[in-house]
Amino acid sequence: MGILSDEIKPAMQGVIPSHLVTCALDGTPNATVVSQVYYVDSDHVALSYQFFSKTIKNIRENPRALASVINPETFESWDLEIEYDHSETSGPVFDIMDMQIEAIASMTGMKGIFKLRAADIYRVISATKNVGERIPLSEIGSVSGTA
Amino acid sequence: MAEEKNTAVEVKQQIAENQQIIDQLNRQLARKNNEVRIIQQISSEITSTLDLDRILETVLSAMDRVLGFQHAMILLKDQVADKLKVAAGRGYDHTTISAEVAFGHGVVGVVAERKKMMRVGNIGASVRYLMAVRANLKEASQPDLSDTTAKLPSLPNVQSQLAMPLLVKDRLIGVLVVESAKPNAFDELDEILLTIVANQAATAIDNARMYQMVEQLSRLKRFFSPQLAELILVGGTEDPLKTHRREVTVVFLDLRGFTMFAEQVEPEEVMGVLRDYHAEMGRLILEHEGTLERFTGDGMMIFFNDPVPVPNPAERALRMALAMRERVQGLSKKWRKRGYDLALGIGIAQGYATIGAIGFEGRWDYGAIGTVTNLAARLCGEAKGEQILVSLRVTGEVEDLIETEEIGSLTLKGFHKSVLAFNVLGLKANA
């Protein structure tokens, strides 16, 4: 029994994009949106590497990151502490991600331009379900008012 | 005392909760058992028929009835090109049927290309994400962005797709796809159930298609050589039954003395002679890749350069005619021993003809119409036993190949002017 339970799987289908926070060596944080955090097994997730970005640069220097995933039906969210392990350019995980990216790219006229360079595999260190207090509907107005 | 009572209540509650869970599990198990049973039923239903439409309909109706997938389609691979065509669908408007998908295009196209299944639950979000990336790239004037995004047969607001390749021993037959406008509509269990159905369907569809092909093939073989029939079947040549105009070399042949022979002997004898003669001539037609247009009794009409164009139709016609003459000389010896005096006469002409299907529903034939066919028939009529008469046009085409002698101008029925004809003596020494 690994860290990720079946309950989290719907949050890892990319219906709601996930947030990913990384940190440069000098401590500068970087937050970005990724289209999907892929479920690999109960202890691993994968992120797609398409373009060289700030995130990729940070991860290669400092492998720790935090990903936040959301279940699109219940809006429950999890924070995953993850650590970059290795990159795969073939194999079943790469194939699944590559096929999806190619399919969507071909539907948007970007076949061959937007493609998977590697599947970056991360080890999951912890998964914390965010159990926020329910805000009564009557208070929602005042909450948004303060934002 | 109060504590004991509380414990008893808790135990009761626990039992009730456990019972609920057990009931729920039982219901789920019953559903799964039911699904497995029905899938077995589908399997036996689709493997017991060779009717392709029935197989497709059975699979799609099962998708809806058993698995609750309301939008499902089956696309079949084109015999030649790397593309798929929607063969059947359920839960779509009529425009979806017959729509085509190129390999590598969209979820279905990529599944076909890679021969691996794909489950996507976030098509809407992914497309929006990539469109945003695309807009940025366009702003940065990135070249090679194709502007056309081909329309794929799919629900207009599709979010989830589960697409299975239909494979028979790693050979792609088609793709089975279920769709939903809801995100994350399919899970791992759906993958398993669909895999079972897809495996069964692939074999059943393949068998049905093979059967259809064999049937079609035997029909086409009535008109064309086996190689050509196969070529037509896999779509490697244009539909020859569609009316078209082409220059052809036409060969007519029949047996001199046949009418008298047929009047004098028993019909069984006539049939026996015809069988030998047809078998030998048929072999030579196939050998020279000629198209047998028809045979009536002892007469045959063969042409060259259609449905498949050949570079040397006149040469093929001549070589076939010479081989036929020789073969019938051999048969004649046998016939003469039985007292039958039969010899082959051949006429050959070249020119344009209108070719295609001639006839009516239920009885179509493949035929050629034009002066060229009349001329070949008339030359054949004029030819004496063992003579091959050819038109001036044919002589011009093969003058380096054959020795001929001019037999002068013939007055032929249906021709206003007299026609110059040549008798073929044989192949030149170096031909």
Side-chain angles (χ1 to χ4, degrees):
Chain A
M1 185 70 188
I3 295 167
L4 303 176
S5 64
D6 280 353
E7 191 192 2
I8 202 170
K9 285 183 181 173
M12 302 179 87
Q13 300 292 328
V15 179
I16 298 179
S18 303
H19 290 99
L20 181 73
V21 183
T22 57
C23 198
L25 264 190
D26 67 1
T28 314
N30 183 67
T32 187
V33 176
V34 293
S35 61
Q36 188 168 353
V37 175
Y38 293 83
Y39 179 93
V40 176
D41 60 39
S42 56
D43 287 310
H44 294 89
V45 296
L47 295 174
S48 65
Y49 167 24
Q50 285 131 335
F51 299 109
F52 192 77
S53 60
K54 188 81 165 275
T55 299
I56 296 292
K57 182 179 176 288
N58 285 354
I59 283 298
R60 299 297 189 258
E61 290 174 4
N62 175 12
R64 282 283 180 111
L66 189 95
S68 165
V69 297
I70 301 168
N71 180 324
E73 284 156 44
T74 62
F75 288 97
E76 288 170 319
S77 71
W78 286 262
D79 287 339
L80 310 180
E81 250 187 294
I82 56 177
E83 186 174 59
Y84 171 72
D85 194 87
H86 66 281
S87 296
E88 292 181 1
T89 52
S90 64
V93 176
F94 177 85
D95 283 348
I96 287 172
M97 293 167 69
D98 186 40
M99 278 175 76
Q100 280 191 22
I101 287 167
E102 191 186 325
I104 304 293
S106 69
M107 287 158 79
T108 50
M110 298 219 290
K111 193 176 165 72
I113 296 165
F114 197 79
K115 57 182 180 188
L116 188 66
R117 282 206 205 174
D120 282 357
I121 310 292
Y122 290 74
R123 189 172 61 84
V124 180
I125 298 163
S126 73
T128 313
K129 190 170 177 178
N130 294 314
V131 196
E133 273 182 40
R134 283 186 153 227
I135 305 166
L137 271 178
S138 56
E139 285 178 26
I140 285 181
S142 61
V143 169
S144 58
T146 57
Chain B
M1 214 30 202
E3 220 170 78
E4 266 177 33
K5 210 176 181 180
N6 275 347
T7 314
V9 171
E10 276 173 19
V11 169
K12 262 191 184 169
Q13 261 180 358
Q14 191 61 52
I15 290 172
E17 275 174 25
N18 284 351
Q19 192 54 50
Q20 272 181 0
I21 294 170
I22 290 167
D23 287 347
Q24 197 188 344
L25 284 174
N26 273 336
R27 275 197 301 275
Q28 282 178 356
L29 198 64
R31 194 191 132 212
K32 293 290 154 269
N33 278 340
N34 197 31
E35 281 171 354
V36 170
R37 191 176 53 78
I38 296 174
I39 283 173
Q40 280 168 345
Q41 254 180 30
I42 301 165
S43 300
S44 64
E45 215 173 309
I46 61 177
T47 47
S48 65
T49 177
L50 287 168
D51 180 344
L52 183 60
D53 289 339
R54 206 177 130 199
I55 293 168
L56 300 178
E57 182 48 38
T58 306
V59 173
L60 292 180
S61 110
M63 291 292 116
D64 186 3
R65 191 165 40 91
V66 185
L67 305 171
F69 305 146
Q70 286 159 3
H71 306 282
M73 63 176 119
I74 296 171
L75 299 97
L76 296 181
K77 189 195 171 299
D78 188 274
Q79 303 275 21
V80 188
D82 278 346
K83 63 180 180 183
L84 301 148
K85 200 174 190 179
V86 179
R90 206 175 163 97
Y92 298 95
D93 65 30
H94 66 280
T95 57
T96 306
I97 304 302
S98 297
E100 290 186 351
V101 178
F103 271 32
H105 202 94
V107 170
V108 169
V110 171
V111 164
E113 193 175 63
R114 307 278 188 102
K115 296 191 208 165
K116 281 181 184 161
M117 71 117 215
M118 191 179 342
R119 174 162 61 94
V120 199
N122 63 339
I123 293 175
S126 302
V127 168
R128 277 197 301 279
Y129 179 74
L130 274 209
M131 286 312 263
V133 174
R134 187 187 149 100
N136 285 340
L137 287 177
K138 261 203 155 171
E139 247 172 49
S141 67
Q142 175 92 6
D144 296 336
L145 275 182
S146 69
D147 272 328
T148 49
T149 48
K151 175 115 179 57
L152 292 166
S154 177
L155 287 176
N157 50 349
V158 65
Q159 294 295 335
S160 301
Q161 279 188 326
L162 175 53
M164 289 282 163
L166 301 172
L167 300 169
V168 175
K169 289 182 188 147
D170 207 41
R171 182 165 49 86
L172 185 85
I173 308 297
V175 175
L176 167 64
V177 52
V178 293
E179 294 190 318
S180 173
K182 282 197 299 190
N184 267 357
F186 309 111
D187 60 17
E188 286 149 327
L189 181 69
D190 295 327
E191 261 180 42
I192 296 167
L193 292 172
L194 215 61
T195 306
I196 301 169
V197 177
N199 286 341
Q200 301 283 353
T203 311
I205 291 169
D206 195 39
N207 287 343
R209 273 183 126 186
M210 290 282 195
Y211 178 72
Q212 264 187 357
M213 276 178 76
V214 168
E215 282 221 311
Q216 256 177 304
L217 196 63
S218 63
R219 191 172 56 86
L220 286 168
K221 276 183 181 168
R222 280 181 52 211
F223 308 121
F224 310 118
S225 70
Q227 303 93 311
L228 182 56
E230 275 164 34
L231 195 67
I232 295 164
L233 205 60
V234 298
T237 183
E238 271 180 41
D239 182 1
L241 300 178
K242 223 161 83 183
T243 304
H244 56 283
R245 199 159 164 77
R246 184 171 284 165
E247 188 173 23
V248 287
T249 308
V250 181
V251 181
F252 250 94
L253 47 131
D254 65 13
L255 291 171
R256 298 291 97 94
F258 184 80
T259 313
M260 202 197 290
F261 157 75
E263 282 169 2
Q264 288 170 354
V265 301
E266 292 299 325
E268 288 78 6
E269 264 307 284
V270 177
M271 293 306 274
V273 164
L274 278 181
R275 241 192 318 272
D276 288 350
Y277 164 72
H278 283 153
E280 292 289 344
M281 298 304 103
R283 218 167 284 147
L284 290 170
I285 296 167
L286 292 182
E287 220 171 86
H288 293 82
E289 294 178 292
T291 303
L292 175 63
E293 198 248 20
R294 74 180 108 113
F295 55 85
T296 43
D298 61 321
M300 287 191 193
M301 174 178 156
I302 303 122
F303 53 80
F304 291 84
N305 205 36
D306 194 90
V308 171
V310 289
N312 52 352
E315 182 182 340
R316 280 168 192 254
L318 248 309
R319 286 187 187 277
M320 181 189 75
L322 287 164
M324 284 175 160
R325 179 161 72 182
E326 202 182 313
R327 204 63 65 85
V328 174
Q329 280 168 349
L331 286 173
S332 292
K333 278 182 197 157
K334 201 170 93 181
W335 294 334
R336 231 171 275 131
K337 281 180 194 161
R338 293 194 217 158
Y340 315 144
D341 190 16
L342 297 165
L344 187 67
I346 300 178
I348 306 176
Q350 182 163 322
Y352 279 90
T354 301
I355 305 167
I358 297 169
F360 51 87
E361 206 52 56
R363 186 66 177 91
W364 289 104
D365 268 340
Y366 175 66
I369 293 171
T371 315
V372 60
T373 59
N374 287 345
L375 181 55
R378 298 291 171 224
L379 287 172
C380 175
E382 290 294 321
K384 295 184 179 72
E386 299 194 357
Q387 237 184 5
I388 300 172
L389 296 188
V390 299
S391 67
L392 179 63
R393 181 71 216 278
V394 175
T395 317
E397 288 287 324
V398 287
E399 59 187 352
D400 296 339
L401 198 71
I402 52 165
E403 302 280 3
T404 55
E405 59 173 3
E406 195 183 316
I407 59 160
S409 290
L410 302 174
T411 306
L412 303 172
K413 195 181 165 193
F415 291 85
H416 297 303
K417 287 184 185 168
S418 55
V419 175
L420 203 55
F422 298 82
N423 177 31
V424 178
L425 300 171
L427 287 172
K428 282 188 174 166
N430 56 353

